[in-house]
Amino acid sequence: MNKISLKKNGSIAHNGKIAEDDPLMYLSFGITLEDGYTLRSFFQLFEHYEILSRLNAFFATFREQYEESPSEHCLYDGFDYLEFAKIVEMVGFPGEPRLDIYHSLRGILKDETFELKAIALDCLLDMPLKTGALKHIVFGDSVDVFTFETAYTLFEFIDGVLWDLSFQGTLMACELRR
């Protein structure tokens, strides 16, 4: 698999050189995140490569929130870091089996995993962001969890992070309706 490095300033490096244009050619490339990569780095990716913002319908909403956020110290002390992971769930075995494959962006504190739903984007932007292992979960008579090393493509990363962030604030929105 071809590889790129996502730099903490939001740029893409391929073969040791910063990609100046045409980031679409890298969508199927595997990614590594530079040490110090944050959620802010993720949003800076779109500042460097505007065309990538058209990959996901949710981006416009997040761009607004990102631009209105402070330029530094956007941290949430309830997590050590954020983790982007791939989940494969085998559901309904024995019985009618179903396989669900999805990506997840979660907060990690020590060995515990937390959803980000109730946490504002401006509290997360400067949190370290890492890629995690693939978790294969088998639901049946018992629940078995297997962990595997995996790779992520640039497209999976962009779409998966934005998809998971799209659920953010749902608790607050529910409270407003009451």
Side-chain angles (χ1 to χ4, degrees):
M1 171 182 273
N2 289 320
K3 291 268 192 185
I4 56 172
S5 175
L6 300 183
K7 300 297 187 181
K8 61 185 176 183
N9 70 358
S11 61
I12 296 172
H14 180 246
N15 293 332
K17 295 181 181 179
I18 300 299
E20 298 299 329
D21 56 354
D22 198 16
L24 297 180
M25 69 181 282
Y26 300 115
L27 288 175
S28 64
F29 284 39
I31 62 163
T32 57
L33 303 180
E34 181 180 41
D35 287 342
Y37 196 87
T38 63
L39 192 56
R40 185 179 304 278
S41 304
F42 175 79
F43 282 98
Q44 289 171 332
L45 176 69
F46 301 100
E47 291 175 3
H48 283 275
Y49 310 101
E50 176 67 27
I51 196 166
L52 295 177
S53 67
R54 295 178 22 203
L55 293 174
N56 187 289
F58 299 113
F59 182 73
T61 303
F62 297 117
R63 170 176 274 151
E64 230 176 85
Q65 290 177 37
Y66 167 71
E67 290 172 351
E68 292 172 358
S69 297
S71 61
E72 57 187 355
H73 306 298
C74 296
L75 297 165
Y76 182 72
D77 58 4
F79 305 143
D80 296 324
Y81 62 94
L82 302 176
E83 181 182 77
F84 181 73
K86 192 179 295 187
I87 312 293
V88 176
E89 291 180 345
M90 190 173 181
V91 182
F93 184 80
E96 279 298 315
R98 182 179 85 238
L99 189 66
D100 295 330
I101 303 171
Y102 59 92
H103 294 97
S104 165
L105 180 66
R106 301 288 187 252
I108 306 295
L109 178 63
K110 297 182 182 15
D111 291 332
E112 285 191 74
T113 303
F114 299 91
E115 291 188 1
L116 305 178
K117 279 188 210 181
I119 302 162
L121 183 65
D122 64 0
C123 293
L124 299 172
L125 287 172
D126 295 315
M127 296 296 299
L129 177 56
K130 302 176 182 184
T131 55
L134 178 143
K135 289 186 180 143
H136 183 166
I137 303 167
V138 181
F139 294 102
D141 292 337
S142 64
V143 176
D144 295 311
V145 179
F146 304 95
T147 303
F148 302 93
E149 231 180 86
T150 193
Y152 298 94
T153 66
L154 178 59
F155 179 78
E156 285 179 306
F157 185 63
I158 291 171
D159 193 59
V161 168
L162 292 172
W163 172 256
D164 214 276
L165 287 176
S166 72
F167 294 98
Q168 205 175 17
T170 54
L171 297 178
M172 202 178 325
C174 292
E175 287 299 316
L176 290 175
R177 275 191 237 145
R178 287 184 189 180

